[in-house]
Amino acid sequence: MSKQIPFVDYLVLGDKPHLVANECTGCGARFFDRRNACASCFGTLFKKVDIVTEGELRAFSIVTFAAPGVKVPFVSAIVDCGGTSVRCTLTNVEPSPEHVKLGMKVRLALVPVGADDEGTEAINYGFEPA
Amino acid sequence: MASDDIWILGIKMTKFGKHPDKDIVDLASEAAMAALADGGVTMKDIGILAAGNLMGGGGVGQQIQKQIGQTGIPVYNVSNACATGATALRTAIMAVKAGEVDMGLAVGVEKLAGAGLLGAGGKAKSDKKVYEPKGRYGAVGSVDGRIGTDSMPGVFAQVGMEYGHKYGGASFELFAKISEKNHAHSTLNPLAAYTKRMTLEEIMNDVMIAYPNTRSMCSANCDGAAAAVVVSGAKLKTLSLEQQRRAIKVKASVLTTDPWQEACQVLPDVNTLTKNAARIAYEQAGVGPNDLDLVELHDCFATAELVHYDNLGLCEEGGAADFFMSGASWRDGKTPVNVSGGLESKGHPIAATGIANIWEVCHHLRGEAGDRQIEGAKVGLAHVIGLGSACGIHILEKSGL
Ligand SMILES: [Zn+2]
């Protein structure tokens, strides 16, 4: 079986795929990127926290025009996962206003991105209707 | 000597649109020379030049000097996303306010015609052949489209939808109606890039860019420049009565960035920094939203205009949809918004926008706006926001003379 890697380093694959955030131990602010310090309280200590895999659609746009190489249409969305906001593309849903509704329940899903020249497969995340 | 009161002595914008025969230095020079002439001064009177430009490759300030006057004064080349023009103006204002100079010139210029949609163009993004985590998210490929959107129309669509989700009342049709208003307003502005009135149906049936923003609900990329001469109150008193009469008082000049909020690094928070800037500006100016005779706000997309009604305090919290539906923001309404046609029709040459908005307000306060004059306008507000983010707000008042 070929090797799998997460598309971004805040996605954890395995039996229970989920996202992880860097949480500031001083104020609780959460970040998905590599940190130098906390943007909220300037602290420098962080711990890894798991993000719940179910959430609610807080905002979206159906993007039909994008930079060359970006496959359209797609649904860009902001999902509220138990108080932590996550940026994502929706998957397993028709990209039309009839099928995407603000407030709808969604859950984390895995999206294969394809393999590189060494056969390593990248796995991305998305959210799908729950 | 530090000066408490700052005035705009001269201000001009070029026609926005396509200028294939002019480069950015031509456009900037045209605006700068027109602003100097409008103020009745020359480069000899100017103590500082602040030049805003985003896409031109840097050093535009010195290039302008080499065309219109090399007097050895300091140049500040500034770049601050869509707030670049406002930042250039504020740089000149700060220098005058600090007492270092008694007169300053700010210029904003951009050439964008044919650049496609803001943030939706650029070079093709391709993935590496061997995956290698890169950047702050350790991504092995381009995230645009795979993890949400990087495009401005999409980001601002989400901003409007988020507001609709929180407060209700926002729909595709409502956003399109905001655009209908701005396109209607543009028919009276000869300097706008597009001056065609559009029906609601035409707007809604136009090419969809990022739902709910269709093409006519997006800011128009174009070429243009704007420039302003600012002067201290003390210096203004030494100038002619006519110069004093046409001078416009800068009642507030504010620049903010986005303070940390949950989600702000996931979806840019364009609200908090605008609310903060508005609060400080009203405080500085000693006026409130009800005192404003006109507002030019940053309608980079129709979805953005809605949230800024609320952010600028033009309506009750959560009441932006009702505010718009009451007709308040049409040119004959309680608080006319974007009587220039806004960025959706006037156009959005990025670094010029933050001074052109102020020109529009000054034009009305001076009573020189012709067909689109808001009668008796005394106080106005100009707002810009650059994603990333930076927010500039200026409140302006006509001279009492
Ligand atoms: Zn912190």
Side-chain angles (χ1 to χ4, degrees):
Chain A
M1 191 183 143
S2 69
K3 194 184 151 206
Q4 288 190 335
I5 56 165
F7 188 72
V8 285
D9 62 13
Y10 61 90
L11 168 63
V12 177
L13 300 174
D15 292 344
K16 286 182 181 163
H18 63 278
L19 303 178
V20 286
N22 294 312
E23 185 180 278
C24 172
T25 57
C27 75
R30 291 177 170 185
F31 305 90
F32 288 103
D33 65 344
R34 174 165 58 81
R35 300 304 303 176
N36 295 85
C38 174
S40 175
C41 78
F42 335 128
T44 53
L45 294 178
F46 294 88
K47 63 176 184 192
K48 297 279 179 195
V49 291
D50 293 350
I51 303 300
V52 296
T53 56
E54 300 202 328
E56 192 182 290
L57 201 63
R58 215 185 77 203
F60 75 91
S61 175
I62 302 164
V63 180
T64 40
F65 185 93
V70 175
K71 216 177 122 198
V72 288
F74 66 90
V75 185
S76 173
I78 306 299
V79 175
D80 180 346
C81 292
T84 301
S85 297
V86 177
R87 169 177 154 161
C88 69
T89 292
L90 294 191
T91 187
N92 299 324
V93 68
E94 192 78 20
S96 78
E98 290 72 41
H99 293 89
V100 183
K101 299 287 178 199
L102 290 167
M104 74 189 248
K105 305 288 179 205
V106 292
R107 63 175 173 237
L108 191 79
L110 296 181
V111 183
V113 172
D116 66 10
D117 291 348
E118 291 172 354
T120 304
E121 195 186 14
I123 307 291
N124 192 13
Y125 73 91
F127 279 78
E128 66 183 6
Chain B
M1 200 180 89
S3 173
D4 281 340
D5 58 329
I6 307 288
W7 298 73
I8 289 176
L9 182 63
I11 186 162
K12 274 286 160 120
M13 67 177 274
T14 67
K15 164 129 179 76
F16 281 7
K18 295 188 176 91
H19 292 284
D21 301 332
K22 291 175 181 161
D23 62 20
I24 58 169
V25 179
D26 292 322
L27 287 167
S29 299
E30 180 184 328
M33 290 163 75
L36 291 164
D38 185 51
V41 293
T42 73
M43 278 304 282
K44 205 175 171 183
D45 302 297
I46 300 297
I48 172 200
L49 170 62
N53 176 249
L54 217 58
M55 322 291 272
V60 74
Q62 284 86 344
Q63 294 175 51
I64 296 166
Q65 285 183 308
K66 287 180 175 58
Q67 296 303 320
I68 70 170
Q70 290 176 259
T71 54
I73 59 168
V75 162
Y76 294 81
N77 289 297
V78 309
S79 162
N80 214 2
C82 300
T84 294
T87 305
L89 181 67
R90 176 141 179 71
T91 302
I93 286 172
M94 286 193 297
V96 174
K97 199 163 187 176
E100 288 207 5
V101 297
D102 55 24
M103 220 180 275
L105 174 64
V107 187
V109 62
E110 211 76 62
K111 281 207 68 151
L112 283 176
L117 282 155
L118 192 58
K123 55 181 190 289
K125 294 173 182 174
S126 65
D127 296 341
K128 283 254 171 193
K129 282 184 178 169
V130 175
Y131 289 138
E132 191 191 338
K134 282 208 166 134
R136 289 197 162 260
Y137 296 96
V140 300
S142 169
V143 300
D144 191 9
R146 292 200 178 108
I147 302 177
T149 184
D150 286 345
S151 82
M152 296 292 148
V155 168
F156 278 96
Q158 292 177 124
V159 165
M161 296 296 269
E162 181 188 41
Y163 187 89
H165 182 43
K166 199 167 170 191
Y167 298 112
S171 63
F172 177 27
E173 188 175 324
L174 178 98
F175 292 125
K177 280 182 171 164
I178 291 175
S179 186
E180 181 190 20
K181 166 185 74 77
N182 290 348
H183 285 290
H185 285 171
S186 77
T187 59
L188 297 172
N189 185 358
L191 296 185
Y194 299 95
T195 54
K196 183 175 163 270
R197 179 152 195 161
M198 295 184 77
T199 66
L200 185 61
E201 202 173 32
E202 283 172 325
I203 292 164
M204 293 181 77
N205 291 330
D206 200 352
V207 181
M208 183 59 75
I209 303 297
Y211 179 89
N213 285 322
T214 66
R215 185 172 53 189
S216 38
M217 296 159 72
C218 297
S219 50
N221 274 340
C222 64
D223 307 333
V229 175
V230 294
V231 64
S232 70
K235 176 74 179 177
L236 180 63
K237 286 199 186 81
T238 70
L239 303 178
S240 75
L241 189 61
E242 177 61 7
Q243 282 167 309
Q244 294 182 44
R245 195 176 285 135
R246 287 183 74 249
I248 297 294
K249 189 169 191 182
V250 180
K251 295 273 281 182
S253 171
V254 181
L255 190 67
T256 58
T257 58
D258 46 334
W260 191 83
Q261 301 274 313
E262 199 288 314
C264 77
Q265 295 194 13
V266 172
L267 176 67
D269 172 15
V270 301
N271 303 316
T272 311
L273 81 165
T274 302
K275 285 178 183 159
N276 287 350
R279 193 190 64 244
I280 298 166
Y282 291 134
E283 228 168 74
Q284 272 183 17
V287 302
N290 286 327
D291 301 314
L292 302 174
D293 297 307
L294 77 157
V295 171
E296 287 286 306
L297 64 75
H298 202 72
D299 64 321
C300 47
F301 301 93
T303 47
E305 177 157 329
L306 183 80
V307 304
H308 293 317
Y309 292 151
D310 199 323
N311 293 332
L312 296 175
L314 307 184
C315 62
E316 300 282 305
E317 188 190 334
D322 290 343
F323 171 79
F324 174 73
M325 289 311 290
S326 75
S329 61
W330 282 78
R331 51 171 293 114
D332 57 355
K334 175 175 155 272
T335 312
V337 174
N338 291 333
V339 296
S340 66
L343 279 49
E344 293 162 66
S345 30
K346 181 176 70 176
H348 183 23
I350 305 175
T353 294
I355 298 177
N357 286 357
I358 287 165
W359 175 81
E360 178 71 22
V361 173
C362 290
H363 210 40
H364 290 271
L365 299 183
R366 285 167 161 181
E368 297 172 358
D371 287 348
R372 70 178 186 290
Q373 177 68 38
I374 297 297
E375 283 310 321
K378 287 191 176 67
V379 181
L381 180 150
H383 157 260
V384 285
I385 189 161
L387 212 58
S389 297
C391 175
I393 291 184
H394 287 86
I395 295 178
L396 307 145
E397 185 184 52
K398 79 178 287 182
S399 161
L401 293 173

